[in-house]
Amino acid sequence: MTTIDATHDPTLESWVASANAADTDFPLQNLPFGRFRRADDSDWCIGVAVGDQVLDLRQAGLVDGADMNRLMRLAAEPRKALRHAISEGLREGSAMRSRFEPALVAQSEVEMGVPCDVRDYTDFYVGIHHATAVGKLFRPDNPLLPNYKHVPIGYHGRASTINASGHDFRRPAGQLMPPGATQPELKACERLDYELELGIFIGRPNPQGVPIPMEQAEEHVFGIALFNDWSARDIQSWEYQPLGPFLSKNFASTVSPWIVTTEALAPFRRAFERPAGDPQPLPYLDSEANRAQGAIDIGLEAWLQTPAMRAAGHAGDCIARSNYAQVAYWTMAQLVAHHTVNGCSLGAGDLLGSGTLSGPGPGQCGSLLEATQGGKQALTLSNGEQRTFLQDGDAIILKGYCSRDGLRRIGFGECRATVLPYSS
Ligand code: MN
């Protein structure tokens, strides 16, 4: 686990004035990494968000290339040194200001991409309230399957259709077999949903055949972004047995542009405890450090903006609030240790989706499947509109932040995309 140092000092201020605003997601204490470009045909550059600006790391003389995956492979010490160099250079009164200032560009003037080349993608299912609520729709008396509390459940997804935030996508078509029908047909999805997730980015690779033990697992994590695992529930219910989700999940996923590093998240760690009476994990999924501070306090929100809201200049309704530490049954160290226990290799740019991070109560459902009880109970929005599943033109915006008394609040930016109509 990374430690708290001078870069987390809540009193630090920057010569970039917007980084000192109370409500910015990107104060000096955050310094998340992303990829940006200044024009459609220009090359992607590695940037760090500070206030409403991006610091071009190559132009500032801090890295010598534009390969984010290479940067993510850095070992703990050089990574920490890079964070310190950025923090010190952006600090009020820094002698580096004259070198850094020309390397700043306004976020409003650049396009943000997927933050690295996503090499491979696995989606887990760590949200126990989501697993219980979805299980209840199918098995009211026995919602959680017997393996859930012993093994982190996941499936292999596809990296090819992971989009940057702001990249809209078309409603998918697929084989549908509605209840009562006798023949499936190929149709546009009628039960399109979102999933409120976090995306855990791997940095340090492990060679095939060499599992990563719990004690080292976090050294292999570069950081975390917001992740929306768009889901076609009607395609899913017909195709998922016996091998799990397939085309219901791989038509689009959206990731936020900034990876908040594990260093930035260090002050927001929390003890990880299992409820009394639950089975303890096998030793390969347990460590003292994981119990002491394996969880991370990240507040999460999902917003829905309909076309009518957009036309009226309305930012949308917050339809879900949740907290990663409160709802995740497995920590990121456990996901890494489990994923590699059989010798599977992870590489820089591997993305591990957390699974839907719903809370237990109303207003905490990180998918419409749960919020509408499988489409049976429509949500009524603030302008009187109703939704069971997503309609064309609807946008989902995910937000995340860490805040704690005595610390500087840091945010994740946003993860946004709009559903476009189906087109054959
Ligand atoms: Mn998912």
Side-chain angles (χ1 to χ4, degrees), residues 121 123-124 155 195 197 229 231 249 355-356:
Y121 159 49
D123 199 27
F124 282 97
Y155 66 92
E195 290 189 338
E197 303 198 16
D229 179 25
S231 299
K249 295 283 193 171
T356 309

Side-chain angles (χ1 to χ4, degrees), residues 121-125 130 155 194-197 227-231 233 236 245 249 353-357:
Y121 159 49
T122 301
D123 199 27
F124 282 97
Y125 201 48
H130 172 73
Y155 66 92
Y194 76 98
E195 290 189 338
L196 170 59
E197 303 198 16
F227 189 68
N228 187 345
D229 179 25
W230 303 96
S231 299
R233 300 301 181 192
Q236 186 177 358
K249 295 283 193 171
S354 61
T356 309
L357 296 170

